[in-house]
Amino acid sequence: MDGNPKHPFAEEEKSEQPRRYGLFGVSSTGGMQESQRKSMARWATAFVVVMAAAFLFLVVSGSTGAAGLTVTFDSQGGSEAASQSVLYGETAEEPEDVVRVGYTLAGWSLTPDGTQLWDFSSDTVEENLTLYAVWEVQ
C-alpha cells in the first residue's frame, strides 16, 4: 500500500477501451457499440412507424383491403341490380330501378323468403352478403 487509503467513491482509472452498451446499461466488457445502438434505435423507430401505418390502413379499410366487403343483390326474377363494395360497418345503398312485371318491390331481405328485411338506413355491412328482393303482386 502506498499509505493513502483509497476512498470508496473515488474515480476509477479510465479504461482505454471504448464504452460499450449492454442489455443493462454501460459495460466495459462487450455489448453494442454506440453506433450499433443508434442504428438499432433507428430501425426500431422505423418498425413502429410502419406497424402504426399498417394498423391505420386496416382500420380505415375495414380490415378487408381497400375494396371492402361485397353486397350482392338477387332480384328473384326482377331486373338486375349491381353488386356493391362497402367498407366494414358502413351502410349499403338501396338499388334503384329494379323492376318485375306484375309486381311491386316491397324491400330487400337477408333471406330468400323475405323474413329478415334489410334497413338500408341503419343496417351495417359486417361481412359479404346477399340481399334478396321481396316482391308483392300488383
Side-chain angles (χ1 to χ4, degrees):
M1 287 203 150
D2 59 348
N4 292 333
K6 190 169 187 177
H7 190 276
F9 298 107
E11 279 191 39
E12 295 181 11
E13 294 180 40
K14 298 216 179 220
S15 169
E16 292 189 24
Q17 291 182 336
R19 282 187 157 187
R20 298 181 186 270
Y21 296 87
L23 183 60
F24 300 107
V26 179
S27 168
S28 62
T29 59
M32 287 190 285
Q33 294 180 354
E34 179 71 13
S35 63
Q36 291 172 315
R37 187 184 64 76
K38 286 181 180 179
S39 179
M40 262 190 107
R42 284 191 297 269
W43 277 103
T45 301
F47 178 78
V48 168
V49 169
V50 167
M51 293 307 293
F55 176 76
L56 182 61
F57 172 78
L58 291 175
V59 168
V60 169
S61 68
S63 74
T64 60
L69 298 165
T70 302
V71 178
T72 305
F73 298 94
D74 182 340
S75 64
Q76 301 201 94
S79 58
E80 271 192 48
S83 61
Q84 298 176 16
S85 290
V86 180
L87 294 179
Y88 179 91
E90 297 291 323
T91 58
E93 292 183 29
E94 186 169 5
E96 296 180 13
D97 302 325
V98 179
V99 294
R100 182 175 173 191
V101 176
Y103 293 85
T104 302
L105 182 64
W108 294 88
S109 174
L110 285 170
T111 58
D113 63 5
T115 58
Q116 294 181 11
L117 290 179
W118 185 264
D119 184 348
F120 286 93
S121 64
S122 63
D123 289 340
T124 58
V125 179
E126 296 179 354
E127 61 186 354
N128 294 328
L129 58 92
T130 299
L131 295 176
Y132 300 89
V134 179
W135 298 103
E136 292 178 347
V137 178
Q138 287 181 335

